[in-house]
Amino acid sequence: MTELWVKNACVIDPIRGINGEIMDIAIRDGRIVESVSDRADVIDAQRCLTLPGGIDSHTHVSGTKVNFGRYMSPEDMRAGRTKRKGKMHVTSGYYVPTTFGNSYRYSAMGYTTLLEGAMAPLEARHTHEEFTATPHQDMMANTLFDGNWAVMDAVREKDVRKTAAVVAWTLKAARGYGIKLTNPGGTEAWGWGEDLTGIHDMVPHFAVTPAEIITTMIRANELLKLPHSVHLHCNNLGKPGNYQTTLETFELVPDLNAARQTLYATHVQFHAYGGGTWKNICSKAEEITRSVNSKPQIVMDMGQIMFGRTMTMTADGPMEFNLHCLHNNKWSNHDVELETGSGIIPVTYSKKSAVNCIMWAIGLELALLTKNPYQCLLETDNPNGAPFVKYPEVIGLLMSKRYRDEECATLAAGVEQRTSLCALEREMDWHDIAVMTRAGQAKALGIGSQGKGHLGVGAEADIAIYPIRTDSVDPAREYRKVVEGFQKTRYTIKRGRVVSRDGEIIVDGANATFWVDAKVPEDLKMENDPEFIKRFEQFYTVRMSNYPVQDVYLPRGRRIETEVFT
Amino acid sequence: MKFVLNTGRTVPQGTSVEHKGSDTYRTVASAGFLNPIDMMLLGIEDGDRIRLTTPAGHIVLTSRPAEGVVRGEVFVAIGPYANHIISSETHGTGMPDFKSQSVDVEPTGEPVKSVGELMEAIGGLRF
Amino acid sequence: MIEHDVVCPFCGCLCDDLEIETEGGRIVKVQNGCALAESTFMNDVRLPAPIRRTETGWEDISYQEAIKETAEILQGADRPLLYGWSSTHGEAQSVGVHIAELIGAVIDNTSTVCHGPSILAIQEVGHPGCTLGQVKNRADVIIYWGCNPVEAHPRHMSRYTTYATGFFVPDAQRERTVIVVDTRRTDTAGIADEFVQIEHGGDYAVLSALRAIVRGKASVIPAKVAGVSKEQLIRIAEICKTAKFGAIFFGLGLTMSRGKYKNIRNAIELTDELNRYTKFVISPLRGHGNVYGSNEVFTWMTGYPFAVDFARGIAFYNPGETTAVDILRRGECDAALIVASDPGANFPRAAAAHLAKIPTIVIDPHVNATTALSRIHIPCTAAGIDAAGTAYRMDGVPIRLKKVIDRGYPDDAEILKKIYDHLNGGKGP
């Protein structure tokens, strides 16, 4: 039995309605309890800001394309490197760090749970291997279905139950957490070097549209009672004028779940562009947030960009090729048979580029214009918009109008006219930030019931104690203190153990991987479906028996079983 | 005569690669494939031995005719025989010139060494 | 007993449809595999026990002794080299990286003398590729450039390309155009619709010519480029541009010949160019079964796919300096641990010779040329035969190798963990 007593903590725990109370937290064997014995280790939080462990609900840290980003970028590996020290392994990389680099830096920032944004089922084993080497965060993997042939066949037949059955089989095989759609239909078209231009375009050879894929998958997701909703990277990412596609997509979404959203729209900054060309691109954040503010069924994340060099990596292969044709730097592409695609290129977001400045402004506008912070979560689509180590700066910008104004003064000309950022007075408070970095994520991902995102009795003791005294810091004026404070916790506690102290990792990690075992009726099991098996054996290049991820790849797997539907 | 030494994988080399002490491996790895016209010019026939010399050393191989090999090239399966005479220079890439080593080829009566002998020539000891 | 869907660990194809019949702990029959697979499973002669070189010959020693002495040699070395890794599973590779990190060693894998130059090119210009099933299901044009799959990857064509029935290519043999580019008229060239015979060292020029033609600049091309006629080049460019889906596979004919990584860079840029007209992909044909896995494991752990030097405490990478051949050539390392590979046979003589001058330890199931150069050889399981573990196919698809039989050998990952423990005062990685 191990016990820990955190006293004098200034707790903000939005899920439990606690906002800045000075309290003590008792922990026994990794969970929060009512009280502990007097033999417990004691941490005096000294009235510092204490939050549930941070949760990233959309980040790219593990798997085939992330590793390819490293593989092709020795220049980035040199950009951030640390020696072996104590419990810490060598790390390399700045915007695509090695797995240990990711894990240590997230931990230093108080993050204890991550959702990998995109995992191709065929390559799931790779993602899980890297999860094991990302030891200080609990992990989950969004599983890609955007170009899944069996799904598209079921969608064409308008068969929601069959769609659900394919999803259930694949999630189990890949040990995945939820449904990810990246440019639905577009990644299949990219198999021929083509793309789709809107949600009503036909996917070549499959006679389905993105709209049909999205709506059917939403229904299948809810039929399966998955903890998370459909997680969507909309079509037309990064194209001027794409906000209309985004709005049209939002219009498709019914409100089917009382406990959480029905659609999680990711990195919406990249999907909120007006205009028709790179010359006249402008912000449509107002239109997007107007829609979201009226639709509780939608949660989005910011997809904030920050200035500097980074790497874009996404399953959206065609988008990456278009971007490559603009940048003419190196380009990698990796299409995955019967499932999805992916592309990688390095980019530099520059204050000298009006387009980049507008993108930067849009992300902030989305957050500031969304009334309910549970509906707009703080992410950079790491590393696409910026490496996650920039989150503290994003927090600073959201909390301080002065910081924003100072930044705006350094931007390229013309930005003020094409966004409304400078006119926005809103300054977020500590509670808003706590929602946007953990409580909102826990709710959106449906992991509150797994003891994540709050500090109630029974919760997993994932806690971040920041060197910030909310009673003596004015974030609007002293935003630098805010940024610094969120960069390095005083203590990051993971399942009751202090894993990181003042930015240094002090123990070996012991993370868990959450995955969903969705139950379907016996007659719908794909492993018994002769047609599914036949097509699998014919068109995949691995045998069906060698496809599912073996349990050995999840040394601390946490299976979440759903109820069977009828 | 001047030739370019080219190396590559072959099925017989691959099937015997884990048995480097075997006679089969010696036979496949020590075969030097030449264009038949070049063999004529060298005055040798199938199975005659040839001596290949480079600045890095020399090696004796058994010549074999191969139509697919162009004039001026000698092809040898990747392995210790070819490597015995390939320079370890990598031009800053980590990769030696496995496919473009210039060699002198001449007929010889010397025997073909075994892999063990080659290793012993560089300080090793056969197991 | 018959085991189905067994994965062959020999080459980067990792064919996973073998049927293997065992009888009393012995493999008696291999079905569906190529000649290389059959020999991998059937002619698996092992070193029975650890051996140590003496003044006059070899003596058997215990595993415990062998492991202890290995650790002591590594501990005492100023500049140890850990090399190989491509014929074992990721679990062993991962322990290897941890050892290198712990003792400040250089760790390199066999891609250094295989597709290392391809990696250098990819680090310059990226890699437009895909999984092999994309090619199987879609490609109507296949190009094999500087490679000879008939000999080196015997089932590549029947499983993934030329002869494979694909969803959009139901009549593969008729619907796929196969182009082979090589200096030699190989057996692969024999099945090509177009064979392009290039003069030695002419790949770079031919790739440049094709790029120019694809861009509409055929007028600048002379009548012959490295022995290839302009007419044929124009015909090839046209086949590529009008393909629905084209796939280039390349081998050591590009990575090892003059120009090395610049050849690959040019081939990738040709692929990039073709994507402005149609869909095109390019992929190296990786040799050892899990060489790509060694690149993957090294990369997520250290940031670099090969040639990683921990001497400075951080991970440092500079091919040409930190690559195994160069370190040996310069006589720089003072101890070597060779795992699942045979540099004695595969490195130029001067590099291999240095292994005999320093204490070299081999961990490998089989006696090989490096055994003769070593001080200690520790036999272990062979991944995919008597040990399970992860391997990455040449296209990055991770597959679990199976344990088909038990031959009583320790897994190399276990041996390496014990060495790590010795080095780390009894604490594991």
Side-chain angles (χ1 to χ4, degrees):
Chain A
M1 187 174 77
T2 60
E3 293 185 323
L4 185 63
W5 176 247
V6 180
K7 62 177 191 180
N8 285 322
C10 172
V11 174
I12 301 181
D13 183 355
I15 288 179
R16 291 195 305 144
I18 294 169
N19 189 4
E21 273 178 50
I22 305 297
M23 7 181 347
D24 299 342
I25 304 167
I27 299 161
R28 183 179 307 120
D29 295 334
R31 291 204 174 251
I32 292 174
V33 292
E34 292 286 359
S35 62
V36 284
S37 70
D38 51 12
R39 291 182 302 278
D41 289 337
V42 179
I43 287 176
D44 185 350
Q46 296 176 322
R47 302 170 78 91
C48 283
L49 176 63
T50 301
L51 304 177
I55 302 172
D56 199 330
S57 55
H58 189 99
T59 180
H60 300 280
V61 287
S62 296
T64 308
K65 78 182 169 321
V66 177
N67 213 35
F68 210 84
R70 300 178 186 118
Y71 182 103
M72 68 189 268
S73 312
E75 69 278 15
D76 184 54
M77 294 309 125
R78 287 193 291 270
R81 51 192 187 185
T82 57
K83 292 185 182 186
R84 180 188 169 89
K85 183 181 176 195
K87 291 284 179 187
M88 293 167 80
H89 290 291
V90 164
T91 75
S92 304
Y94 170 62
Y95 48 74
V96 244
T98 49
T99 55
F100 295 114
N102 277 324
S103 196
Y104 301 158
R105 294 172 207 174
Y106 260 121
S107 201
M109 285 168 42
Y111 276 75
T112 50
T113 303
L114 308 176
L115 175 96
E116 163 55 45
M119 171 174 82
L122 179 62
E123 296 167 339
R125 224 171 254 101
H126 184 166
T127 305
H128 290 291
E129 287 213 285
E130 289 197 31
F131 280 0
T132 308
T134 311
H136 295 290
Q137 285 77 27
D138 289 336
M139 307 298 284
M140 290 166 274
N142 260 348
T143 308
L144 292 158
F145 287 96
D146 35 78
N148 187 294
W149 287 8
V151 162
M152 287 193 291
D153 288 341
V155 168
R156 189 178 54 246
E157 290 155 19
K158 304 196 187 311
D159 190 339
V160 176
R161 291 164 57 84
K162 179 85 168 281
T163 307
V166 173
V167 167
W169 183 84
T170 311
L171 278 183
K172 184 170 185 184
R175 297 293 191 258
Y177 185 74
I179 296 174
K180 172 75 184 301
L181 300 174
T182 293
N183 184 2
T187 56
E188 165 55 33
W190 180 239
W192 301 111
E194 294 164 25
D195 195 3
L196 306 180
T197 62
I199 59 170
H200 300 296
D201 282 10
M202 280 284 177
V203 180
H205 302 288
F206 284 88
V208 293
T209 65
E212 289 164 345
I213 297 173
I214 294 164
T215 50
T216 312
M217 285 298 260
I218 284 175
R219 292 190 181 278
N221 192 95
E222 299 312 315
L223 188 62
L224 287 167
K225 306 182 187 76
L226 300 183
H228 188 31
S229 69
V230 165
H231 192 116
L232 176 66
H233 155 142
C234 288
N235 300 85
N236 280 335
L237 180 144
K239 294 181 194 159
N242 64 5
Y243 81 106
Q244 277 171 327
T245 301
T246 311
L247 289 178
E248 276 180 71
T249 306
F250 288 179
E251 288 303 319
L252 298 173
V253 183
D255 191 355
L256 299 178
N257 194 311
R260 55 147 169 80
Q261 77 287 354
T262 305
L263 181 77
Y264 183 105
T266 190
H267 43 66
V268 173
Q269 176 276 128
F270 292 109
H271 303 274
Y273 304 156
T277 66
W278 293 113
K279 285 218 164 6
N280 66 9
I281 183 174
C282 62
S283 168
K284 289 291 176 185
E286 284 181 33
E287 285 78 353
I288 296 287
T289 48
R290 196 176 306 133
S291 171
V292 171
N293 284 335
S294 69
K295 291 185 177 61
Q297 66 268 38
I298 292 173
V299 165
M300 59 181 171
D301 69 57
M302 294 167 72
Q304 179 64 28
I305 72 153
M306 296 296 276
F307 299 107
R309 202 173 146 78
T310 191
M311 181 71 95
T312 65
M313 49 176 67
T314 164
D316 196 343
M319 188 287 296
E320 288 285 1
F321 183 67
N322 294 336
L323 206 56
H324 167 58
C325 293
L326 287 175
H327 288 264
N328 282 308
N329 201 323
K330 50 190 169 186
W331 165 57
S332 290
N333 178 81
H334 182 73
D335 300 338
V336 181
E337 64 208 57
L338 286 80
E339 293 179 354
T340 183
S342 72
I344 311 172
I345 72 161
V347 295
T348 302
Y349 296 117
S350 164
K351 287 185 177 176
K352 291 185 181 137
S353 154
V355 171
N356 293 164
C357 293
I358 290 165
M359 292 165 75
W360 174 83
I362 291 172
L364 296 171
E365 285 181 283
L366 288 172
L368 295 167
L369 290 167
T370 301
K371 289 184 186 140
N372 177 359
Y374 278 96
Q375 280 186 276
C376 186
L377 308 177
L378 191 154
E379 337 275 344
T380 59
D381 188 18
N382 167 67
N384 287 287
F388 63 84
V389 291
K390 295 272 195 183
Y391 288 179
E393 288 175 47
V394 180
I395 293 172
L397 289 162
L398 292 174
M399 297 186 85
S400 169
K401 163 86 168 136
R402 180 191 285 191
Y403 187 11
R404 295 199 293 270
D405 287 345
E406 283 172 17
E407 281 292 293
C408 285
T410 67
L411 301 184
V415 176
E416 215 165 311
Q417 294 77 41
R418 291 193 267 161
T419 80
S420 62
L421 182 66
C422 304
L424 298 179
E425 298 290 334
R426 183 173 178 191
E427 290 180 328
M428 291 189 154
D429 60 21
W430 304 106
H431 186 272
D432 292 331
I433 297 302
V435 171
M436 291 179 72
T437 54
R438 46 266 289 162
Q441 279 81 355
K443 185 163 177 261
L445 296 174
I447 50 175
S449 56
Q450 301 296 321
K452 297 291 180 190
H454 64 90
L455 301 175
V457 167
E460 299 222 315
D462 296 351
I463 303 168
I465 304 171
Y466 295 94
I468 297 173
R469 289 284 297 267
T470 56
D471 52 0
S472 64
V473 177
D474 173 7
R477 283 189 308 111
E478 297 169 287
Y479 59 83
R480 284 191 206 288
K481 281 191 185 165
V482 173
V483 173
E484 269 172 38
F486 278 110
Q487 276 167 344
K488 221 179 255 182
T489 60
R490 192 152 281 167
Y491 299 92
T492 301
I493 298 167
K494 175 83 196 132
R495 222 168 259 130
R497 286 193 310 161
V498 177
V499 292
S500 167
R501 198 172 165 180
D502 299 323
E504 215 162 288
I505 299 293
I506 55 173
V507 294
D508 290 322
N511 66 352
T513 298
F514 291 90
W515 65 280
V516 174
D517 187 359
K519 296 292 179 199
V520 301
E522 204 58 36
D523 63 309
L524 274 177
K525 287 193 168 163
M526 299 316 292
E527 57 267 40
N528 304 328
D529 182 324
E531 192 54 28
F532 181 79
I533 296 168
K534 192 174 138 209
R535 275 173 73 100
F536 194 107
E537 302 292 17
Q538 270 184 332
F539 302 123
Y540 271 100
T541 53
V542 296
R543 303 285 296 169
M544 197 162 153
S545 72
N546 285 324
Y547 183 86
V549 173
Q550 293 80 359
D551 284 328
V552 63
Y553 290 95
L554 288 81
R556 287 173 296 272
R558 293 260 294 259
R559 191 169 68 107
I560 299 173
E561 202 172 336
T562 65
E563 284 167 51
V564 65
F565 63 85
T566 47
Chain B
M1 266 169 76
K2 280 273 178 211
F3 282 78
V4 171
L5 172 62
N6 186 9
T7 66
R9 291 198 175 90
T10 67
V11 166
Q13 165 264 328
T15 55
S16 55
V17 73
E18 298 298 1
H19 310 278
K20 292 205 175 79
S22 70
D23 287 340
T24 319
Y25 185 77
R26 180 211 293 235
T27 309
V28 300
S30 67
F33 294 90
L34 292 159
N35 187 283
I37 297 174
D38 285 338
M39 288 183 71
M40 203 175 71
L41 294 175
L42 282 165
I44 52 171
E45 299 200 359
D46 188 358
D48 287 354
R49 286 184 295 286
I50 46 174
R51 179 186 165 102
L52 279 65
T53 308
T54 71
H58 53 83
I59 188 85
V60 175
L61 303 176
T62 307
S63 67
R64 298 276 175 221
E67 296 284 350
V69 174
V70 292
R71 299 268 321 271
E73 175 182 310
V74 50
F75 178 84
V76 183
I78 60 168
Y81 290 88
N83 279 321
H84 204 69
I85 56 167
I86 288 174
S87 161
S88 58
E89 173 59 47
T90 77
H91 315 287
T93 65
M95 172 68 87
D97 295 327
F98 286 120
K99 284 188 186 279
S100 46
Q101 177 77 48
S102 159
V103 292
D104 272 313
V105 178
E106 59 190 331
T108 183
E110 293 170 51
V112 172
K113 288 187 172 152
S114 69
V115 176
E117 284 171 314
L118 294 181
M119 292 299 121
E120 286 176 357
I122 57 172
L125 177 66
R126 260 173 285 187
F127 171 62
Chain C
M1 203 175 74
I2 294 181
E3 178 106 36
H4 297 274
D5 297 346
V6 174
V7 186
C8 170
F10 187 82
C11 85
C13 284
L14 292 182
C15 303
D16 72 333
D17 60 346
L18 273 58
E19 281 185 13
I20 294 200
E21 195 176 332
T22 58
E23 228 174 65
R26 263 179 357 103
I27 295 171
V28 294
K29 195 170 178 187
V30 178
Q31 280 189 303
N32 296 346
C34 66
L36 301 174
E38 187 159 330
S39 128
T40 300
F41 285 100
M42 300 290 292
N43 305 327
D44 181 19
V45 182
R46 304 281 179 91
L47 175 65
I51 51 168
R52 178 166 56 199
R53 185 169 166 181
T54 64
E55 286 299 315
T56 51
W58 296 88
E59 60 179 353
D60 284 352
I61 53 172
S62 69
Y63 274 98
Q64 201 184 358
E65 206 178 338
I67 286 167
K68 182 162 171 283
E69 188 166 337
T70 300
E72 283 164 2
I73 288 169
L74 293 175
Q75 189 94 66
D78 286 326
R79 188 136 177 84
L81 168 69
L82 316 183
Y83 175 77
W85 310 104
S86 298
S87 291
T88 188
H89 43 53
E91 291 73 1
Q93 293 163 350
S94 164
V95 184
V97 175
H98 280 306
I99 292 176
E101 182 194 19
L102 182 67
I103 62 174
V106 174
I107 186 163
D108 196 8
N109 54 57
T110 64
S111 52
T112 197
V113 288
C114 196
H115 277 283
S118 310
I119 294 170
L120 300 187
I122 287 167
Q123 292 177 337
E124 286 191 355
V125 290
H127 176 204
C130 62
T131 66
L132 288 162
Q134 286 291 92
V135 177
K136 163 171 129 164
N137 287 317
R138 297 173 202 260
D140 56 347
V141 172
I142 307 280
I143 300 175
Y144 283 111
W145 195 309
C147 55
N148 189 6
V150 168
E151 303 273 354
H153 302 88
R155 294 183 71 210
H156 193 265
M157 290 194 285
S158 59
R159 274 175 63 81
Y160 308 123
T161 67
T162 320
Y163 307 117
T165 302
F167 184 78
F168 296 107
V169 198
D171 188 355
Q173 253 171 303
R174 187 172 315 171
E175 292 173 87
R176 295 201 218 263
T177 304
V178 178
I179 300 169
V180 173
V181 188
D182 208 323
T183 57
R184 272 190 312 145
R185 185 178 280 280
T186 59
D187 287 348
T188 306
I191 54 102
D193 298 292
E194 282 272 357
F195 174 53
V196 184
Q197 193 158 17
I198 298 188
E199 285 169 2
H200 244 285
D203 298 277
Y204 189 88
V206 170
L207 287 161
S208 297
L210 285 172
R211 284 177 69 191
I213 296 167
V214 169
R215 282 191 171 209
K217 305 272 196 239
S219 59
V220 304
I221 304 299
K224 257 188 188 270
V225 178
V228 185
S229 74
K230 182 173 181 178
E231 290 70 37
Q232 190 179 26
L233 289 170
I234 290 175
R235 195 162 65 239
I236 301 286
E238 193 55 29
I239 292 171
C240 292
K241 277 174 87 168
T242 54
K244 289 206 264 312
F245 186 114
I248 302 174
F249 294 97
F250 64 94
L252 306 183
L254 280 187
T255 66
M256 288 178 173
S257 56
R258 199 174 84 189
K260 303 213 170 81
Y261 69 102
K262 292 295 179 191
N263 296 331
I264 317 300
R265 179 182 170 138
N266 217 359
I268 292 172
E269 291 189 300
L270 171 65
T271 312
D272 183 330
E273 192 67 40
L274 285 164
N275 271 286
R276 289 151 210 263
Y277 302 90
T278 180
K279 180 81 181 185
F280 242 87
V281 296
I282 182 165
S283 284
L285 284 176
R286 307 300 304 263
H288 288 80
N290 194 26
V291 62
Y292 196 53
S294 65
N295 297 143
E296 295 277 16
V297 171
F298 281 29
T299 300
W300 80 62
M301 294 182 74
T302 76
Y304 306 105
F306 69 113
V308 187
D309 180 355
F310 285 103
R312 295 160 181 80
I314 47 95
F316 177 84
Y317 165 78
N318 187 22
E321 180 197 350
T322 59
T323 24
V325 170
D326 297 279
I327 283 175
L328 289 165
R329 175 173 60 87
R330 291 194 302 267
E332 198 173 292
C333 54
D334 57 350
L337 176 67
I338 309 297
V339 179
S341 69
D342 190 9
N346 295 322
F347 281 6
R349 187 180 59 166
H354 188 66
L355 291 172
K357 296 195 187 107
I358 58 172
T360 292
I361 302 105
V362 174
I363 301 178
D364 195 288
H366 309 108
V367 174
N368 59 29
T370 314
T371 309
L373 308 178
S374 71
R375 179 169 300 182
I376 294 173
H377 184 148
I378 310 175
C380 59
T381 51
I385 298 177
D386 51 344
T390 317
Y392 285 74
R393 204 166 67 182
M394 60 169 72
D395 57 349
V397 172
I399 297 180
R400 185 157 184 83
L401 303 174
K402 291 180 182 174
K403 176 177 178 169
V404 185
I405 47 167
D406 193 332
R407 298 189 53 178
Y409 286 93
D411 195 303
D412 46 2
E414 291 308 317
I415 294 171
L416 289 161
K417 271 184 207 154
K418 285 184 179 156
I419 293 170
Y420 185 98
D421 288 350
H422 269 277
L423 291 166
N424 196 35
K427 289 193 289 269

